Each structure stands twice: as C-alpha cells, then as structure tokens.
Amino acid sequence: MSEYKNRFDRAYQDTVGYFTETKFLKTNSIELAKFLNDNKVLSDGMNIFEIGSAGCRNLKFIHDLNSSVNLFANDLYEDASRKNMHESVKEKVNFIEMDTLSMFEKDKNLILGDNKIDLLLSSDHLMHIDKKSVISILEHICTKWKPTYIALRELVSKSGEEINRQYPRLHHDYEKGLSNHYDLISERECSNRPDWYKLSLYKVKS
C-alpha cells in the first residue's frame, strides 16, 4: 500500500470526477484526449487502462473521440468513482477497486487476462503517490503489463512538489523509470501551469 493512500477518502472523488466544478480539470482532460488523437494513438477496439482514474473524466473525453475503444480503470472506491462518471462511459468501464501499487503487486493483469493493453494512462495520479511506490509501479508497468503506449499528464517540475498538503503532490523522474523499455515520442505543454505539468507519450521499444 502506498504511503499516502489513507489521505484520499470517497469524498475526494466528488472533487475530481466528471461532474467537478473545477473547470480547468475538464480542460486538462480535453487536452489529453486531443494529444492522443493528434498522435494517432486512438484506434477502434484498442484497450485503454487508466490508473487512478477517479470518475474516469479522461476516459469520457477519449471515448468522445472514439467510442469503439475498450475502457479499463482502477481506483480506491468503485462506488464513488461510478457516481462521478458520465453516463456515456459508466457501463463501458471495466473497474477494479484497488490502489495502484497493490494492483501491480498482485503481479498479474487483473482485468484483461491475456489481452493486450494498448494504452496505459496516468493523469494527475502518480504525483499523489510516494516516490518508492512509483519506482515499483513503473517497474511493474515496464516488465509485467508492457503496454504499447504510456501517456502521462503529471507533475514534471520539482518546483511544484508539495508533500505536506492534504493531497500530496510529488515530482517523479519518469524518464529514468521508463527509458530502458520505452521511447519518448511526443510531448506537449499543458495550458494549466505549463511550468509544472506536461503531456508525455511513450512507446515500447521495438
């Protein structure tokens, strides 16, 4: 279990799900979906897994661009997450109720079985997890799940790190954690705090 897990209760999902009143969060999701579409990642029948998805706000906007994708997600509380999902994806998301580190420590793909993960997505999620746990999560992603693509919208500047807030915000070295197995193929600035956040797309090495 990651160090800060108990700081996130069910009520947190109300603040970050699809129905959030924080407008820039929806802007973040729209930018992420467009980034994936512009890089021609989205295709019919692909399997997309979002870790720490909350109310699957990101998956909703991806689904708006291609409704033929298969959606998978995890987070701490399925009931709170589904409560905050848009109707268009609520019945389409295959959901596992488990924190991300514990899910990977099970050392198996709990939902997809032998099916391939085409895209693994993390948006404002890994930044809430302690550094030791993220090192372990990235290792599991690279060596066990091996998705074709990894898309990140995460904190990339140490200046934005703040560990002692209720919902901690941590900077991680994603390039170090992924570069042995993945190539960085595209990056884009985020409109919200571009000094802190960036969109990054990785593809598994051939």
Side-chain angles (χ1 to χ4, degrees), residues 7-17 54 124 127-128 167:
R7 298 193 192 183
F8 295 85
D9 58 13
R10 280 179 168 81
Y12 177 73
Q13 305 297 346
D14 296 336
T15 67
V16 297
D124 298 342
M127 71 175 187
H128 292 316
Y167 305 125

Side-chain angles (χ1 to χ4, degrees), residues 73-121:
N74 80 288
D75 214 318
L76 298 176
Y77 308 106
E78 181 172 3
D79 57 347
S81 290
R82 290 202 182 275
K83 171 188 170 186
N84 286 284
M85 285 184 199
H86 190 270
E87 290 297 325
S88 63
V89 296
K90 185 175 290 188
E91 300 303 321
K92 294 192 69 172
V93 174
N94 298 279
F95 197 93
I96 181 70
E97 183 178 88
M98 189 176 293
D99 72 273
T100 298
L101 178 62
S102 296
M103 183 176 66
F104 282 113
E105 286 179 337
K106 295 293 184 181
D107 206 24
K108 60 182 178 180
N109 191 326
L110 295 175
I111 293 179
L112 292 175
D114 294 329
N115 292 332
K116 181 181 181 61
I117 299 175
D118 299 295
L119 170 64
L120 186 136
L121 173 65

Side-chain angles (χ1 to χ4, degrees), residues 41 43 45-48 112 116-120 147-150:
V41 172
S43 61
M46 75 181 303
N47 295 320
I48 302 175
L112 292 175
K116 181 181 181 61
I117 299 175
D118 299 295
L119 170 64
L120 186 136
T148 303
Y149 293 98
I150 299 171

Side-chain angles (χ1 to χ4, degrees), residues 1 45 108 126 132 197 202:
M1 182 177 75
K108 60 182 178 180
L126 292 174
K132 182 179 178 181
Y197 298 98
Y202 293 83

Side-chain angles (χ1 to χ4, degrees), residues 135-197:
I135 290 172
S136 179
I137 288 168
L138 294 179
E139 180 67 16
H140 278 284
I141 291 171
C142 291
T143 62
K144 301 295 183 182
W145 284 29
K146 303 177 184 178
T148 303
Y149 293 98
I150 299 171
L152 302 177
R153 187 205 178 276
E154 293 286 354
L155 182 70
V156 294
S157 173
K158 289 184 179 179
S159 64
E161 187 168 86
E162 189 176 348
I163 297 174
N164 293 325
R165 65 200 292 261
Q166 181 180 0
Y167 305 125
R169 188 173 57 228
L170 284 81
H171 163 266
H172 303 291
D173 190 342
Y174 297 105
E175 186 66 17
K176 181 179 180 181
L178 297 173
S179 60
N180 286 340
H181 302 273
Y182 285 82
D183 293 318
L184 178 62
I185 62 170
S186 185
E187 289 184 307
R188 184 176 296 178
E189 281 191 347
C190 299
S191 61
N192 175 46
R193 293 305 305 252
D195 53 329
W196 283 4
Y197 298 98

